[in-house]
Structures are given as C-alpha cells and as structure tokens.
Amino acid sequence: MRKNAFAKILGLLLAFLLLTGCGKDEKKEIKELALCSSMNQAFTELIADSYAKAFDAKVTISYLPGGSQQQRFDYLRQHKVDVWLGGTSEEYFLADEQNILQPYLAKESYKVPAELRNRTGEWTSLYLRYIALLSNKHNLHAYGLYAPETWEELLAPELKDEIAMADFSLGGSSFSMLTAIWQLRGKEEALAYAAKLNSQNPEYTSSFGEAVDKVYIGKKTVAVVPLDYALIMENRHSHLFATVPKDANRTILTGAAILKSAPHEEAAKEFLDYLMSDAGAELLPKNGYHYMWHVKNYPYNDDRKKLVGNVQVPADDLSWTSTYKSEIIRQWLEAK
C-alpha cells in the first residue's frame, strides 16, 4: 500500500512539473544587433562575426545603398538599424546635424588622441587611413617617369588623360585630396592647382575600385586611392606601385555611430565598447589588415610611422568640409 501511495504521489508531482514547465531549461534570451555598413562585405562580416562570438549575439547585416547623401540618411531613418558602421567623419557630422544619431562615449574612447575623436560621442572613430597614388609601372616606364610622390608630379605633361580618381561627391580619398590641399595651402593656391589638374583631364569614376581597375589594365597610369587598398594591390601585382603624397595628405577616419531610433540600444553600446577594446583593436592586424590602423593604437604604431613617415595633414574643419562639400567641389571643378 505504501509503495502504491508513494508511486501516486510521485506521478502527481511529475505531472505538476510538466504542467507548470518547471524542470525545463529556460530559453536563453538571444542578444540582437542590427548593423548597417558602408564598408565592404568581407570586413563587415569579420567585425560582426567577431562580436557575435564574443558576446553570443545574433547580428543582422544590411549595407547602405548608393544614391545621394540625403537618400542614404533617409534609408537609415526608415529601417530598424542599431549601428551605422563605416561612415566617414563628414558623413557623421551631417547625420548628427539631421538628428539621426544618439551620443555615446565608448568606454575606452579616452585613449584616442583628441584630434581623432568626436568628444561629445555622436560617433566613434575606429580606423584611420591615408591617401595614396597607385601607379602602373609599365606605363611609367613607357613615359620615362618615376612614380609620383607629390601632387605637383601629377601635372607632368605625360600624365594628361592618364589620371583616375573616384567622383569627389563620394568622399573618400579623392575628396580628401581636395580638402587636404585646400586646407593646407589656402583657397587661392588650392584653386590655382585645381585649374592645372583640371587641364590634365582626370577621369572621375563611380568608385575608387573602378579607378584601380583602369590602372591595373593600363588604361590609366595613376589612381588616387586609399593607402591600405593601394598596398594590397601592390603586394598582389608586380606591375603596380604605391606611393604616399607627403606634401598634402589627410587622416581619413572611419567609425561607427548609434542611431537615435536603435531598437537594441544596449547591444549597440556594447558593440562600440567591444570595437574600442583591445580585442577590437587587434582584430585588424590579426586578420591581415595591416594598413588600416585602429585609432587607439595611433600614437604607438611604429609600423605606421615607418610606412607613412612625416606627412603634412590639416587640422580638419568638419563644419566646412561637410556643410560646404558641394560648393567646394563646384569651385574646384570650375577652376581654370
């Protein structure tokens, strides 16, 4: 009798546990992050996967489409995005002006030199690169030229119709060239140079990658491109050669920002903290990105100093380079 009673009690207890869900493993809440990137797919996925594994998170990735700057901002407004990754300082400045971003100071932002960060946290600078010239050595040999190392050397008569660069409106290395020369030399001297360069009939392409392709196949001799990409191409192809213009260059910053409408705000903050951590800073060199430097390591990077040396870079006036971008480009292109 006692055995039967005990069995009944045990059965009732098990039934109760099953009905109430007790004894089951509670489902772990999955952390989510919605990322919109301006960077290439390989680099974006590297960053996203690294964060996802470190924090057991699910990251969804979308890519900022082409179009005008305003169309791109509208895309960010209309979609459920937590973090915009890969924008430039000019783009973030304008996005903040349109009240798209929310401020957040990542935990280790204070370790970044003041000139490389946004002090109020509307965006977080992560990586820096410089402007380079990528030349086709076969073409240079045919023209009897050395690879250009200054902007003045692009004015050689032999390089007429032989220069390619991305459309200025796309920002990046070509617009940085323009603003570096303008800020370092002043408007009058910059537009005098612009008139000479315009007479060289440079071709403006839909991307810096297209400019590189034209130099690679020999249709053009020199392209204005980001240094990290130029060095990758030089390492892969013996007929290409990269140089760093030292007379006027620019620290091109790439970063991340949290959207004001972020649906997963805490995960977004955690993501920025991770990218600014030691693990985030080491992510690039560990995966072969040796020529795009993390801003946190900027003061201590001897390899960067050896590669780039002393370059003249302006103290950027973002309110000018961002707000008056269209007018700056118009005056440059119309210079005669």
Side-chain angles (χ1 to χ4, degrees):
M1 291 292 290
R2 287 182 179 179
K3 288 184 179 179
N4 289 338
F6 179 76
K8 286 182 180 179
I9 293 170
L10 183 60
L12 289 171
L13 181 59
L14 289 172
F16 175 77
L17 291 172
L18 288 171
L19 287 171
T20 58
C22 295
K24 291 183 179 180
D25 291 334
E26 292 186 6
K27 287 186 178 180
K28 187 177 180 181
E29 186 177 346
I30 299 175
K31 189 179 300 182
E32 294 185 49
L33 180 74
L35 196 62
C36 186
S37 179
S38 300
M39 293 179 162
N40 68 56
Q41 183 177 351
F43 192 54
T44 300
E45 290 180 353
L46 169 65
I47 293 174
D49 290 346
S50 176
Y51 164 75
K53 290 175 183 176
F55 291 88
D56 195 20
K58 177 184 178 183
V59 182
T60 57
I61 302 172
S62 60
Y63 292 91
L64 201 59
S68 68
Q69 188 71 74
Q70 191 56 52
Q71 288 172 326
R72 289 151 67 87
F73 288 165
D74 289 341
Y75 178 92
L76 292 170
R77 281 195 185 95
Q78 294 162 8
H79 293 76
K80 293 182 179 180
V81 174
D82 294 306
V83 174
W84 172 17
L85 175 68
T88 64
S89 51
E90 281 92 1
E91 290 175 320
Y92 289 134
F93 180 91
L94 292 174
D96 184 45
E97 291 281 294
Q98 294 197 22
N99 204 31
I100 296 174
L101 312 179
Q102 64 168 289
Y104 176 67
L105 289 170
K107 288 181 180 177
E108 298 195 36
S109 293
Y110 68 92
K111 295 183 179 180
V112 178
E115 68 272 18
L116 300 179
R117 57 185 162 94
N118 175 254
R119 297 181 185 181
T120 51
E122 279 75 20
W123 58 280
T124 300
S125 60
L126 295 170
Y127 315 111
L128 66 90
R129 51 172 60 165
Y130 295 98
I131 313 167
L133 298 173
L134 184 67
S135 301
N136 184 304
K137 292 194 284 189
H138 298 326
N139 289 13
L140 289 174
H141 181 74
Y143 292 131
L145 296 175
Y146 291 106
E149 295 182 342
T150 67
W151 300 115
E152 296 300 323
E153 290 176 82
L154 292 184
L155 304 179
E158 294 85 355
L159 292 180
K160 186 179 178 70
D161 299 315
E162 291 293 327
I163 302 166
M165 66 182 79
D167 190 293
F168 289 134
S169 64
L170 299 173
S173 51
S174 56
F175 183 63
S176 295
M177 173 205 80
L178 185 165
T179 54
I181 293 172
W182 193 309
Q183 290 179 104
L184 285 170
R185 301 183 184 181
K187 177 179 178 179
E188 184 176 345
E189 189 175 340
L191 291 181
Y193 175 80
K196 296 175 183 177
L197 185 63
N198 290 341
S199 68
Q200 293 288 74
N201 296 329
E203 180 175 345
Y204 296 101
T205 60
S206 60
S207 68
F208 76 79
E210 184 183 349
V212 168
D213 288 343
K214 290 182 179 293
V215 171
Y216 172 77
I217 63 177
K219 283 193 172 182
K220 299 293 178 182
T221 300
V222 183
V224 179
V225 298
L227 175 59
D228 55 308
Y229 198 80
L231 288 170
I232 289 172
M233 294 300 291
E234 178 189 87
N235 289 336
R236 289 179 181 173
H237 308 287
S238 61
H239 70 292
L240 299 179
F241 188 69
T243 51
V244 181
K246 293 182 171 57
D247 55 331
N249 211 298
R250 192 168 170 213
T251 305
I252 307 171
L253 292 174
T254 304
I258 301 176
L259 277 294
K260 186 152 283 188
S261 57
H264 311 105
E265 187 177 320
E266 291 308 310
K269 292 177 179 178
E270 182 182 72
F271 179 69
L272 262 59
D273 287 341
Y274 171 68
L275 294 182
M276 192 55 70
S277 69
D278 289 344
E282 292 166 4
L283 188 61
L284 276 72
K286 278 186 176 180
N287 288 276
Y289 292 88
H290 300 294
Y291 310 119
M292 188 174 179
W293 297 278
H294 196 284
V295 291
K296 184 177 167 184
N297 296 332
Y298 176 83
Y300 319 106
N301 195 314
D302 291 334
D303 290 336
R304 178 190 60 81
K305 293 175 184 177
K306 290 176 183 176
L307 178 65
V308 178
N310 294 317
V311 295
Q312 294 187 50
V313 296
D316 285 321
D317 180 355
L318 285 180
S319 63
W320 175 75
T321 60
S322 305
T323 307
Y324 299 102
K325 181 178 178 180
S326 296
E327 179 60 19
I328 294 166
I329 293 171
R330 183 192 67 78
Q331 290 189 49
W332 182 280
L333 292 175
E334 292 179 358
K336 296 179 180 178

